Amino acid sequence: WDDKIGGQMEFNPTQDKFTNNHYGIGIHNEKYDLDAKHGFFLNKNDRSIGIQTKATYHNQDAYFGYNRYDATEKSIYANIIFHTNIANENHKMDVGSSFMYNHLNEYFNVPNIDTLWNNQYNTTGAFAQYTFDYQKVLTMIIGFRADYNNLYQWIYTPRFHVKYDISENSSVRFSLGKGSHFAYPVAENMSLMVSARKWYFNGSIKPEDAWNSGISFSHKIKIGDEKNIQINTDAYRTEFINQLIIDNITHPNEVRIYELNGKSYSNSFQLNITASVIKHLDLTLIGRYNDVKQTYQGKLIQKALSSPFKGLFTASYNTKFEKWQFDATVQYIGKATIPDFSVNPEAYQLMTTSPDYTIIHFQITRRFKRWDIYGGVENLTDFTQHMPIIAHDDPFGNYFDASVIWGPIMGRMYYAGFRFKIKK
């Protein structure tokens, strides 16, 4: 259970809620989960049965100025898995079935829409997965599941994964599969409600489908007994067959939701290097490139507010007996495309791309027998996004928008704390 209150400093929920006295935001959440897991081992051929059940009740009441989103969700999930070896431990099979029931009531109110949605669906599925393990050198997994949904009929999901250990220090992995997702356009994009935008729903909402494939390679270079360099490279691609487009870039005062008509894909490349070549010093260097493009109104363009280039460097140093520890983190965020606000008045326009920037965090820890004392600073360079709220001086006007966030809005922050170890 949690409550979040935001908005103008003068906002008082009891007096100003749903008025134009002061702009306010309130999000109230209640969620109750009941989970159970049972396992039964049948001994013969390493056979076992696993049963998972879960019941959830989630209630949310939220307002953003005059905008409202209230939702109540009730769901039940059950899953049973049977595992066995086939002939010997090199061949394994998992089969099972699952059931999902979901009942969702949503009340949605924005400048041009005032409506109530009542969605109820259930999904029943069956799956099978075969695993081949050859002398811990080659592992191959082939899986397939079929689900029947009362609203969307049949949904098929294949999966293939293979891992090969080239040597003791090198391995390669390849994966291919299909994924499906039931989209909730409002609940998953609530940040867009912190604006004066009008919402338009064009056509029906179908499950999202995408093919995923990727390959990764890892290699360890040993330098002495305790020193080594670990190198990991990954390349993954996601290509959508069907996708729900949340178009907040075609017009700055609108959110248009429609089915994909064209291409939509994501290519991701990442390089990780971790090194422990000096005693007590651990280093990590990560570089990532994401090529994410979607078709908006017939145009294939880069997804807005998504930075293609990102980098991370961390260094951790411990003194003898680990009495002192020093940690530093440097993050690099590349340029990102910003939605076009050129139709706005000049005072409420933005640049077309965000600048690249670097964020630095630093922490010192002193350890005692049962105590740890630490202190540090986040965002050492005090970099913040300029004008994160468009038309902040007129929150109830036609140009207000607090959803265009591409960088940090909190400046330099110092902190300190302690940890106390309780003996067993």
Side-chain angles (χ1 to χ4, degrees):
W1 167 65
D2 67 71
D3 277 305
K4 296 182 177 70
I5 302 294
Q8 291 179 296
M9 295 292 291
E10 302 85 356
F11 176 71
N12 184 332
T14 58
Q15 300 176 3
D16 302 329
K17 184 178 178 181
F18 300 130
T19 73
N20 60 1
N21 296 336
H22 303 290
Y23 189 91
I25 297 171
I27 304 175
H28 172 77
N29 270 297
E30 291 179 57
K31 188 176 183 183
Y32 305 90
D33 288 321
L34 180 63
D35 298 86
K37 295 182 180 180
H38 297 80
F40 305 94
F41 295 93
L42 308 180
N43 296 324
K44 187 178 180 181
N45 289 331
D46 197 27
R47 291 179 179 177
S48 63
I49 296 176
I51 301 175
Q52 300 168 307
T53 53
K54 181 175 183 179
T56 299
Y57 173 82
H58 187 189
N59 180 67
Q60 175 179 278
D61 298 319
Y63 60 89
F64 312 88
Y66 285 119
N67 296 341
R68 287 185 62 183
Y69 177 72
D70 302 335
T72 301
E73 181 182 37
K74 304 171 185 176
S75 65
I76 298 174
Y77 172 77
N79 186 45
I80 183 169
I81 305 172
F82 173 71
H83 171 84
T84 184
N85 290 343
I86 305 174
N88 56 59
E89 62 180 12
N90 292 336
H91 305 270
K92 302 176 182 179
M93 178 67 73
D94 295 276
V95 295
S97 180
S98 62
F99 172 78
M100 165 70 83
Y101 167 81
N102 187 278
H103 187 190
L104 177 63
N105 285 321
E106 297 175 286
Y107 173 66
F108 182 57
N109 179 261
V110 289
N112 63 319
I113 297 177
D114 186 2
T115 188
L116 178 67
W117 294 309
N118 187 352
N119 294 316
Q120 181 174 311
Y121 70 83
N122 55 75
T123 304
T124 304
F127 58 89
Q129 178 175 286
Y130 166 73
T131 302
F132 172 69
D133 189 351
Y134 178 71
Q135 297 182 353
K136 306 297 181 180
V137 174
L138 175 66
T139 303
M140 182 175 63
I141 299 174
I142 302 174
F144 185 83
R145 69 174 296 137
D147 295 280
Y148 184 82
N149 181 273
N150 64 312
L151 299 179
Y152 307 115
Q153 308 299 312
W154 287 100
I155 300 173
Y156 302 104
T157 310
R159 176 194 181 202
F160 175 73
H161 176 84
V162 61
K163 175 180 177 288
Y164 177 64
D165 291 332
I166 302 171
S167 65
E168 180 184 353
N169 300 314
S170 301
S171 64
V172 62
R173 295 175 174 86
F174 173 77
S175 62
L176 174 67
K178 184 183 177 186
S180 298
H181 170 242
F182 296 102
Y184 299 97
V186 179
E188 294 172 356
N189 298 277
M190 284 180 55
S191 63
L192 296 176
M193 296 186 68
V194 194
S195 68
R197 293 172 180 263
K198 296 180 180 179
W199 291 57
Y200 299 92
F201 294 81
N202 302 334
S204 60
I205 297 176
K206 301 176 182 178
E208 296 182 316
D209 291 310
W211 282 98
N212 305 285
S213 60
I215 187 170
S216 65
F217 173 77
S218 63
H219 179 65
K220 180 184 289 186
I221 303 173
K222 291 186 176 181
I223 306 173
D225 295 334
E226 299 181 358
K227 301 175 183 178
N228 61 76
I229 299 175
Q230 180 76 40
I231 302 174
N232 296 296
T233 59
D234 305 298
Y236 290 95
R237 178 178 175 86
T238 299
E239 185 160 358
F240 282 90
I241 305 168
N242 183 58
Q243 185 182 22
L244 194 67
I245 300 297
I246 312 299
D247 187 351
N248 63 326
I249 67 172
T250 300
H251 196 285
N253 304 122
E254 297 177 354
V255 178
R256 292 194 173 272
I257 299 173
Y258 48 84
E259 294 294 320
L260 173 67
N261 184 16
K263 290 185 177 181
S264 178
Y265 62 83
S266 169
N267 295 319
S268 177
F269 306 93
Q270 183 165 309
L271 172 65
N272 294 28
I273 301 175
T274 59
S276 300
V277 294
I278 300 176
K279 193 174 183 179
H280 305 302
L281 178 63
D282 295 321
L283 303 174
T284 300
L285 179 64
I286 302 175
R288 187 175 68 182
Y289 171 71
N290 283 341
D291 176 27
V292 184
K293 291 185 178 178
Q294 295 179 334
T295 300
Y296 297 93
Q297 302 289 336
K299 296 180 180 179
L300 182 65
I301 59 177
Q302 180 182 323
K303 186 177 180 180
L305 306 178
S306 176
S307 175
F309 293 98
K310 291 184 179 181
L312 175 70
F313 173 76
T314 67
S316 180
Y317 178 76
N318 287 287
T319 60
K320 191 176 182 180
F321 306 120
E322 297 186 349
K323 287 187 175 182
W324 290 90
Q325 180 173 329
F326 303 87
D327 296 285
T329 301
V330 181
Q331 292 177 291
Y332 170 78
I333 310 296
K335 296 180 179 181
T337 301
I338 295 177
D340 184 7
F341 285 84
S342 60
V343 298
N344 281 2
E346 185 175 352
Y348 303 145
Q349 295 181 8
L350 298 179
M351 48 191 170
T352 56
T353 59
S354 67
D356 57 343
Y357 59 92
T358 301
I359 300 294
I360 300 175
H361 309 307
F362 183 74
Q363 178 174 298
I364 300 176
T365 303
R366 175 67 167 93
R367 295 188 177 92
F368 299 93
K369 187 174 181 180
R370 297 179 64 183
W371 291 85
D372 289 350
I373 300 175
Y374 61 89
V377 57
E378 294 184 358
N379 196 358
L380 179 64
T381 58
D382 200 30
F383 178 84
T384 57
Q385 176 180 337
H386 174 66
M387 201 171 80
I389 303 176
I390 302 172
H392 67 275
D393 55 339
D394 187 17
F396 295 99
N398 295 327
Y399 304 103
F400 175 73
D401 197 333
S403 67
V404 188
I405 304 299
W406 49 261
I409 58 175
M410 300 293 290
R412 185 186 299 115
M413 182 181 73
Y414 298 96
Y415 64 91
F418 67 89
R419 290 183 290 265
F420 178 70
K421 301 175 184 177
I422 302 175
K423 290 185 178 181
K424 293 183 179 180

